[in-house]
Amino acid sequence: MIGFDEFMKEQVLFIAPFKKLAEDAYLVIEERFSDKKDLFKVVEADLVEAEEVVKKYINDGIEVIVSRGGTASLLEKEVDIPMVYIQVTITDILQSLLELKKMPDNIGIAGFENMIYGVEEIAKILNTNFVEILISKAEEADMKINRAINRGIDFIVGDAISVKLAKKYGINGKFINSGKESIYRALQEALLIAKVRRQDEHKSEMIRTIIQKSHDGIIATNEENRISLFNPEAEKIFHRIKYEVLGKKVEDICSSINEKKLNEEEELLINIYNKQYLIKKSLIYVKDVNKGSIYSLQNISEMQKLERNIRKKLSSKGLVAKYSLEDTIGKSPACVKMKNKAKKYALTNSTILITGESGTGKEMLVQGIHNISDRAQGPFVALNCAALPENLLESELFGYVDGAFTGAKRGGRQGMFELAHGGTLFLDEIGEMPLSLQSRILRVLQEREVMPLGGESIIPIDVRIIAATNQNLSKMVEEGKFRSDLYYRLNILRIHMPTLAERKEDIPLLADKLLQKMQYINPNLKSITEEAKSFLSNCKWPGNIRQFVNMMERIMLLTDGDTITKQDVINAYEDDKEILTSSNNEKGIIESTEPINTVDKNLAQMEIELLRKVLVEENYNYTKAAKRLGIHRTTLWRKLKNK
């Protein structure tokens, strides 16, 4: 492992919106990181000032930013490097209030969503009334503070910008200082992320050696597709030494690549000297500019042997992540940003929270993160928290010992946490987890150990948790439906999955990829017209990617020719008029004469018929049917059971 002493250079930038936070940060660094203090840079700056500071230090090699409140929210949107939030606790807010000599009559507690919470609990403790001023974005802070003052607020307790605005309008304010423990935890997390990123830089220095020793044939080309690197294994595969091929175009030494028009990230089987190889092309980007390509060639026989040895045990249990990040298709800015975050976060062991609407492909992204992480060779275990009743969910998560309860399997059973040891545990629909289980999950996250139901011994575990939800967890925290401590423990690294409506430019690409991937549905189909893709791009997709995949299957089934036309798409939409955009309807493409409830009924019936049809085709194998339909196995079971 690479030690920090090899990188004694600033890696973590601590942005303090006010002086006291900067002073406390210096103290924590001196007390808890005395041997690593050169790795930190503490700067006092607020909002716009912070942007300028960050721009300067990014060029100096800063890897991670630590901040809080509005400053952190703004920087996360503007800077494409990891951001670690300093969590403000109820104790921090109470401390600020108790420092006042006299409690004001009307207090406003102001700040950003990532900062203020627990106001109701404070009000109960102090037996008084507070007004919460939640600021969603910096531009609205002035207006909200001014409005609160006009309504009688005479004192503001909050973040730096809120207190500054209070003074602007003639009333006093008090900063909510972050405690040393909160600062310590944030710095510790930032240091871990920085360490992993620096290790990655170190690894890049060893790439040439790795390439030279690789058992795969590796060819690198420049922007003109001329060969710049040809490793020893490639020499063996093509029976050519590198000096013969350097500077030549790759298709000159391998006609199969040109004949089959190999696209980016596509895998093809080719024959070279009577041996089968899997070839894959990856583009090299430097600051979003294509600088060439990498071609990798793997001997199929060797691949099968290695994979069989590695995955034998895991496959028998179904504990394998089947998708990679490349399976999340899209080149829109929203999709690229999402995948870039996923790649960076995959390098850490920190907990990740995935948010987004249903059907956006959260589990596929999670599997992709697992498969490029250091845990890729470990198990991938997924559990839908909404699919099981509370008593079964508890036993599934923690396992149980022999005789733990009536009906318990003889000999006991391992829980999901144990099964995922050394790998990744994906908790889908975490917002549906009962409150009574949330405290146990929190303890596992903190202590890294579990106790099975009915057991007396503690089992240590090494598991990376990734949770996903389509709900607003912060709102659920406010409503008392989700534990705040668990929420902030899960919300360390966060990725938002954009809806299909937010990445409409990806729809034509998705249509082409799905047509290729699902050609077994209608082997006669060869292409889809631009007009048809444009029509699909102008439709609403409330069901997101899942709905789009299912609609493409319907379109492919109903198309008679070898090309999907706009009219074929319109015909497939016959019972889905309500998902067309108003612009499509204005052109008179489809006129809806049915009442909405009738359309909904037809849609529901069509869904059930499609589910049953696919299930029959897969010989009642729920796992295979669910994979084709793009839904979870338990979701398929529940939908059919309810009917």
Side-chain angles (χ1 to χ4, degrees):
M1 293 294 290
I2 302 166
F4 278 111
D5 53 342
E6 295 183 41
F7 302 122
M8 294 309 286
K9 181 182 177 183
E10 293 162 353
Q11 298 176 24
V12 177
L13 177 61
F14 189 103
I15 302 288
F18 50 92
K19 187 177 181 180
K20 179 67 166 58
L21 184 61
E23 292 172 347
D24 286 345
Y26 280 120
L27 285 174
V28 171
I29 292 169
E30 190 65 41
E31 293 170 359
R32 306 299 293 272
F33 302 99
S34 58
D35 59 333
K36 303 182 181 72
K37 58 186 178 182
D38 290 337
L39 300 174
F40 300 96
K41 178 68 179 178
V42 179
V43 178
E44 184 183 347
D46 186 16
L47 292 178
V48 177
E49 300 171 350
E51 286 189 72
E52 295 303 317
V53 170
V54 169
K55 287 177 184 176
K56 173 187 174 184
Y57 285 102
I58 283 180
N59 295 330
D60 291 342
I62 286 295
E63 302 281 355
V64 187
I65 300 173
V66 178
S67 192
R68 70 165 223 180
T71 304
S73 295
L74 176 67
L75 292 176
E76 185 174 39
K77 294 175 184 176
E78 298 297 326
V79 182
D80 192 26
I81 65 173
M83 166 67 67
V84 176
Y85 284 91
I86 304 168
Q87 303 299 342
V88 176
T89 66
I90 294 177
T91 304
D92 297 333
I93 300 175
L94 271 174
Q95 186 64 41
S96 296
L97 291 170
L98 294 174
E99 288 175 4
L100 302 175
K101 293 181 180 179
K102 180 183 177 182
M103 195 70 65
D105 295 327
N106 298 300
I107 300 176
I109 297 186
F112 286 74
E113 184 179 19
N114 61 55
M115 203 189 93
I116 64 168
Y117 63 96
V119 173
E120 292 179 1
E121 287 85 347
I122 300 173
K124 292 175 184 177
I125 293 169
L126 298 180
N127 193 26
T128 187
N129 186 41
F130 297 105
V131 175
E132 182 179 307
I133 307 169
L134 181 61
I135 299 170
S136 302
K137 49 188 178 181
E139 306 90 79
E140 68 181 25
D142 194 305
M143 178 268 292
K144 287 198 172 183
I145 296 295
N146 187 24
R147 182 188 298 169
I149 293 171
N150 289 335
R151 291 180 179 177
I153 293 298
D154 56 11
F155 194 88
I156 294 291
V157 178
D159 61 1
I161 187 172
S162 302
V163 174
K164 191 178 291 184
L165 288 169
K167 292 180 180 178
K168 171 184 173 183
Y169 289 109
I171 70 170
N172 290 325
K174 179 72 175 174
F175 287 126
I176 300 175
N177 290 313
S178 293
K180 289 184 179 180
E181 183 63 23
S182 299
I183 295 172
Y184 169 68
R185 289 184 180 277
L187 291 175
Q188 192 176 43
E189 185 67 33
L191 211 54
L192 176 61
I193 296 172
K195 178 181 179 180
V196 173
R197 297 192 77 192
R198 286 298 172 100
Q199 285 176 341
D200 190 54
E201 290 179 14
H202 181 76
K203 289 175 185 176
S204 68
E205 296 297 321
M206 300 185 291
I207 284 178
R208 185 170 296 276
T209 302
I210 294 171
I211 287 174
Q212 292 300 102
K213 300 295 183 181
S214 174
H215 292 291
D216 297 341
I218 298 176
I219 305 171
T221 63
N222 61 17
E223 300 97 316
E224 299 175 351
N225 210 33
R226 295 188 181 278
I227 298 171
S228 58
L229 184 147
F230 201 74
N231 80 336
E233 191 63 29
E235 292 180 326
K236 294 177 185 177
I237 293 171
F238 290 100
H239 298 180
R240 306 277 291 272
I241 61 173
K242 66 179 181 180
Y243 301 109
E244 293 181 69
V245 300
L246 291 178
K248 293 184 179 181
K249 289 198 171 185
V250 70
E251 51 264 35
D252 292 339
I253 66 159
C254 185
S255 59
S256 299
I257 295 175
N258 190 43
E259 289 170 3
K260 297 188 179 182
K261 296 181 180 178
L262 185 64
N263 297 317
E264 180 187 5
E265 301 303 335
E266 183 182 1
E267 294 180 341
L268 288 177
L269 279 174
I270 61 174
N271 188 293
I272 304 174
Y273 292 106
N274 297 320
K275 289 184 179 180
Q276 291 289 311
Y277 292 90
L278 186 69
I279 184 169
K280 183 177 181 179
K281 175 184 178 182
S282 300
L283 298 184
I284 304 169
Y285 288 99
V286 178
K287 294 186 177 180
D288 298 325
V289 178
N290 178 229
K291 293 295 183 180
S293 305
I294 294 285
Y295 296 87
S296 60
L297 297 98
Q298 296 176 303
N299 185 298
I300 294 297
S301 298
E302 291 299 318
M303 283 175 59
Q304 290 172 339
K305 187 186 298 182
L306 287 171
E307 187 170 348
R308 194 160 47 244
N309 292 336
I310 293 171
R311 293 182 173 257
K312 186 176 181 181
K313 290 184 179 180
L314 294 180
S315 296
S316 64
K317 296 181 179 180
L319 307 179
V320 176
K322 303 171 185 176
Y323 298 105
S324 66
L325 279 183
E326 286 72 28
D327 291 312
T328 300
I329 300 165
K331 294 185 178 180
S332 63
C335 190
V336 170
K337 183 177 181 181
M338 172 192 70
K339 290 200 283 187
N340 283 342
K341 274 192 173 183
K343 290 175 184 176
K344 291 174 182 176
Y345 293 164
L347 300 178
T348 77
N349 276 316
S350 301
T351 303
I352 300 176
L353 179 63
I354 313 285
T355 61
E357 292 183 9
S358 179
T360 49
K362 293 188 284 294
E363 180 164 359
M364 182 178 285
L365 182 74
V366 172
Q367 291 194 22
I369 291 173
H370 171 81
N371 277 331
I372 62 170
S373 73
D374 290 338
R375 298 174 176 268
Q377 300 305 325
F380 176 83
V381 181
L383 179 66
N384 188 319
C385 298
L388 296 171
E390 182 176 343
N391 59 331
L392 288 180
L393 183 59
E394 185 175 21
S395 63
E396 284 291 312
L397 280 168
F398 304 105
Y400 53 83
V401 298
D402 192 0
F405 51 84
T406 303
K409 181 181 177 182
R410 180 174 295 178
R413 180 178 177 179
Q414 281 186 311
M416 294 294 189
F417 280 107
E418 286 185 75
L419 289 173
H421 181 71
T424 302
L425 176 59
F426 174 44
L427 298 177
D428 197 7
E429 298 191 52
I430 188 72
E432 300 292 336
M433 178 168 287
L435 278 166
S436 57
L437 282 185
Q438 290 178 24
S439 59
R440 289 201 66 184
I441 295 292
L442 178 64
R443 180 171 178 79
V444 174
L445 288 172
Q446 291 173 336
E447 306 299 332
R448 298 292 170 180
E449 57 188 26
V450 296
M451 179 183 287
L453 296 180
E456 297 179 352
S457 58
I458 296 295
I459 301 172
I461 56 165
D462 173 23
V463 175
R464 200 255 184 93
I465 302 293
I466 303 181
T469 183
N470 58 12
Q471 301 187 57
N472 186 335
L473 291 187
S474 61
K475 185 177 180 181
M476 291 179 69
V477 169
E478 293 175 6
E479 296 171 348
K481 297 177 181 178
F482 200 87
R483 289 181 63 105
S484 60
D485 45 9
L486 177 58
Y487 171 59
Y488 290 107
R489 184 69 187 180
L490 292 172
N491 192 29
I492 295 174
L493 303 178
R494 186 164 180 160
I495 301 174
H496 177 70
M497 299 287 293
T499 62
L500 197 51
E502 294 173 305
R503 43 179 292 213
K504 283 197 169 185
E505 56 264 59
D506 289 333
I507 289 177
L509 179 61
L510 282 165
D512 286 331
K513 292 287 186 181
L514 289 172
L515 181 63
Q516 178 185 358
K517 184 178 180 180
M518 301 193 300
Q519 200 165 19
Y520 61 87
I521 295 172
N522 187 344
N524 295 324
L525 281 175
K526 305 300 180 186
S527 61
I528 178 170
T529 67
E530 293 300 319
E531 193 178 19
K533 286 188 278 190
S534 177
F535 182 88
L536 288 168
S537 298
N538 286 324
C539 291
K540 290 188 280 187
W541 297 102
N544 293 300
I545 302 293
R546 182 182 297 129
Q547 181 188 15
F548 185 80
V549 172
N550 294 341
M551 180 56 72
M552 279 297 296
E553 181 168 354
R554 187 196 303 178
I555 293 168
M556 292 174 70
L557 283 168
L558 295 176
T559 300
D560 293 325
D562 62 358
T563 300
I564 297 173
T565 66
K566 177 181 175 181
Q567 190 57 50
D568 292 322
V569 178
I570 293 173
N571 292 341
Y573 268 108
E574 185 176 1
D575 291 316
D576 290 88
K577 303 179 182 71
E578 77 284 358
I579 72 169
L580 297 174
T581 61
S582 58
S583 60
N584 274 338
N585 277 330
E586 285 168 4
K587 295 176 183 178
I589 295 170
I590 295 179
E591 296 296 333
S592 178
T593 59
E594 294 180 281
I596 292 176
N597 61 342
T598 304
V599 174
D600 290 342
K601 184 177 179 181
N602 289 343
L603 284 172
Q605 185 58 38
M606 179 178 291
E607 181 187 34
I608 294 304
E609 289 174 0
L610 178 60
L611 296 180
R612 287 172 177 162
K613 175 180 177 296
V614 173
L615 189 61
V616 170
E617 290 176 356
E618 295 296 343
N619 294 320
Y620 293 91
N621 185 315
Y622 277 77
T623 300
K624 291 183 178 179
K627 181 180 178 182
R628 270 185 60 186
L629 291 163
I631 61 177
H632 197 278
R633 183 179 182 277
T634 53
T635 302
L636 173 61
W637 176 83
R638 187 168 65 248
K639 283 178 178 288
L640 292 177
K641 181 176 181 292
N642 291 338
K643 291 295 177 180

